[in-house]
Amino acid sequence: MAFRPSLPPFILESAALRSQGAWTLMAQALLTGLVSGGVIGLFRWLYTIINGAVRAHVAGQDPFAPLSLALMAAGLLLMALTAGLLLRYEPLIGGSGIPQVELIAAGKLPPMRWARVLWCKFVATLAALSAGLSVGREGPCIMMGATVGAGVGYMWHDRCRANRPRYLVGGGVAGMTAAFGAPVAGMFFAFEEMKTPLTLPMLLFTGLSALSAWFMVDVVLDFGLVFPFARLPGLHWSQYWLPLLAGMACGLLGAVYNAGMIRLLLWQDRARWLPGPVRIVFPFICCGVLLLVWPEITGNMGLTTLQLEHLRLPALALALLLAGKIAFSCVSFASGVSGGILMPILLAGSMAGALLAAPLRDAGLVAPEQTATLLVLGMAGLFSASVRTPLTGAALVMEMCGGFHLAPAVLLAAFAAAFTANALHSTPVYDSLKERILEQRRRRRAAASPTEERP
């Protein structure tokens, strides 16, 4: 038998990188990151302008006045029609977009029409967010980044099937970086959640995509921190039971959140009597009612994480806010409109942190200025429990608030939450969503295939 020497993987990857062209790969990655950062920067700017205009208009009006009610109903109807028609035109834009990108990169779904998906996802997500639905921008931004990556590969005339995941993953990393200003979390997300093989070409592509997207949104467009807390003090060594407590509590909450959302989605799948348009319009109707009676849990007029830093509410009021926010988030996402779940998860996590801080503050176990620290621990914990990516969750929260000095506590809370959710046998949310997409695809194929007539 002939002798075949075994070369280290690093040498093989270096040879592959040379054969593919390192300069070409770097140019593709930089272009993917810069364009993704520009597109998502435009998205964030437009949403900020629209949301600011809506808040300014509502603040100076009587919401129960006939003219105000008519304008609100017309606006919600317009947003519902936009989101529904675009979803019908391009079904791939439904929901977060992260499960779809992962399945396409894994070859379990066919390639997407990148230009069509990009503009449909952009407009549909903007409509859902502007209407006040409790959905997030991060999943759509990851999908928009992936479409930009696919477009770069198309324009480069790269038809190699093996290179397709590189453009999708690299674009997704750029999208997450641009959505949150978090390049490290974007890199972790690619390899921790998307299960991307860690090769030298992939590492170089994703790293440069993240760096160039961060440069575009933070340096050129100057968006700054997502959560610029006024004060973010660290924990004393005697308080390091707090991250464990926060992590275990968020692990339990994450398991409940995942189970509730997935069961609602599966129930809607089985409810053949519920027409698709009704599913889409229902959360918009709920949003209109909530804007009048409980605006604190809506997406555009609701409480923000920065407000929770200084808001001193009793534990019961915080518990009601948390339950209402989770319920409306599940209803909004289950409608199938374009929108993610990570931003609502982060806000619910900050509410859980505020709920934990209230009795501890009254008991003198934490200082009032440490409330923001517990909000950060709650965000990292609930993210890690739901998505089951503790490194991504910890890095994301620290990059969003600039709290790198809290790294030990945040990592401890994130891993405690993930361990607790695993111990409760809770399936990670994106795994459940991917399985649902594949099951729906199998059902459509079975319904489309001709049935054999019985003799």
Side-chain angles (χ1 to χ4, degrees):
M1 184 176 63
F3 173 72
R4 295 181 179 178
S6 177
L7 296 176
F10 181 82
I11 296 178
L12 295 176
E13 292 166 9
S14 300
L17 185 60
R18 286 194 300 270
S19 67
Q20 294 168 7
W23 291 109
T24 299
L25 186 141
M26 292 168 66
Q28 293 170 343
L30 290 172
L31 182 61
T32 299
L34 290 173
V35 175
S36 297
V39 170
I40 294 165
L42 175 62
F43 177 86
R44 292 176 62 177
W45 179 78
L46 285 174
Y47 174 65
T48 302
I49 295 297
I50 295 172
N51 194 38
V54 171
R55 281 180 172 269
H57 176 76
V58 172
Q61 302 289 330
D62 177 11
F64 292 95
L67 180 60
S68 297
L69 290 173
L71 288 175
M72 182 181 68
L76 289 173
L77 178 61
L78 176 62
M79 297 298 103
L81 285 174
T82 302
L85 291 175
L86 287 174
L87 180 61
R88 184 175 181 179
Y89 176 66
E90 179 50 74
L92 195 63
I93 67 170
S96 166
I98 294 175
Q100 293 92 323
V101 171
E102 292 187 21
L103 290 173
I104 294 171
K108 296 181 180 180
L109 285 181
M112 59 183 166
R113 292 164 287 194
W114 63 272
R116 176 166 155 173
V117 172
L118 175 58
W119 77 264
C120 288
K121 193 71 172 176
F122 188 105
V123 177
T125 306
L126 196 60
L129 290 173
S130 301
L133 268 62
S134 185
V135 292
R137 66 172 183 249
E138 72 303 316
C141 287
I142 289 173
M143 188 174 208
M144 285 189 278
T147 61
V148 171
V152 169
Y154 177 82
M155 290 184 293
W156 230 276
H157 303 289
D158 189 349
R159 301 295 185 265
C160 180
R161 185 183 182 90
N163 292 340
R164 187 181 301 158
R166 180 197 306 158
Y167 298 108
L168 294 172
V169 175
V173 169
M176 187 167 190
T177 300
F180 294 126
V184 177
M187 291 287 292
F188 277 137
F189 190 82
F191 299 104
E192 190 178 26
E193 164 59 30
M194 301 183 77
K195 309 297 188 298
T196 306
L198 187 58
T199 64
L200 187 59
M202 183 65 79
L203 190 61
L204 180 61
F205 196 97
T206 53
L208 288 176
S209 297
L211 181 62
S212 53
W214 170 85
F215 177 82
M216 177 59 73
V217 296
D218 270 25
V219 179
V220 177
L221 302 177
D222 193 25
F223 275 102
L225 295 175
V226 178
F227 298 134
F229 290 109
R231 298 187 63 184
L232 202 58
L235 297 177
H236 188 262
W237 65 266
S238 62
Q239 295 178 306
Y240 262 76
W241 54 274
L242 288 172
L244 288 174
L245 177 63
M248 289 187 290
C250 288
L252 175 61
L253 182 62
V256 173
Y257 178 87
N258 287 5
M261 176 176 290
I262 298 304
R263 288 184 180 181
L264 180 59
L265 285 168
L266 296 179
W267 174 80
Q268 284 196 348
D269 291 343
R270 293 191 299 268
R272 305 294 182 184
W273 51 269
L274 189 62
V278 174
R279 301 183 191 187
I280 294 174
V281 171
F282 180 70
F284 289 88
I285 296 175
C286 291
C287 187
V289 174
L290 290 172
L291 284 172
L292 297 175
V293 299
W294 201 7
E296 290 81 5
I297 64 171
T298 59
N300 53 0
M301 302 297 294
L303 285 175
T304 66
T305 298
L306 295 179
Q307 290 174 328
L308 289 171
E309 179 185 6
H310 305 290
L311 194 63
R312 297 294 182 261
L313 292 177
L316 179 59
L318 289 168
L320 289 175
L321 278 173
L322 177 60
K325 184 64 179 178
I326 289 178
F328 186 48
S329 298
C330 292
V331 170
S332 298
F333 185 78
S335 67
V337 299
S338 179
I341 59 175
L342 295 187
M343 205 65 179
I345 285 175
L346 291 175
L347 182 53
S350 65
M351 289 180 175
L355 177 59
L356 181 63
L360 295 176
R361 200 170 48 238
D362 294 339
L365 296 175
V366 296
E369 59 269 18
Q370 289 181 312
T371 299
T373 305
L374 288 174
L375 300 184
V376 170
L377 296 180
M379 287 191 286
L382 190 57
F383 183 101
S384 302
S386 181
V387 186
R388 216 62 48 79
T389 53
L391 290 176
T392 303
L396 177 65
V397 172
M398 288 188 288
E399 288 181 289
M400 292 175 75
C401 66
F404 296 100
H405 59 287
L406 297 175
V410 172
L411 284 167
L412 187 58
F415 276 98
F419 177 82
T420 302
N422 278 333
L424 295 172
H425 305 289
S426 171
T427 305
V429 64
Y430 288 128
D431 288 357
S432 298
L433 293 176
K434 285 186 289 186
E435 180 57 36
R436 175 175 174 261
I437 291 173
L438 293 176
E439 179 61 27
Q440 289 176 330
R441 182 175 171 81
R442 285 192 290 266
R443 289 179 180 177
R444 286 194 297 268
R445 283 183 171 180
S449 61
T451 56
E452 295 182 359
E453 297 183 0
R454 293 184 179 180

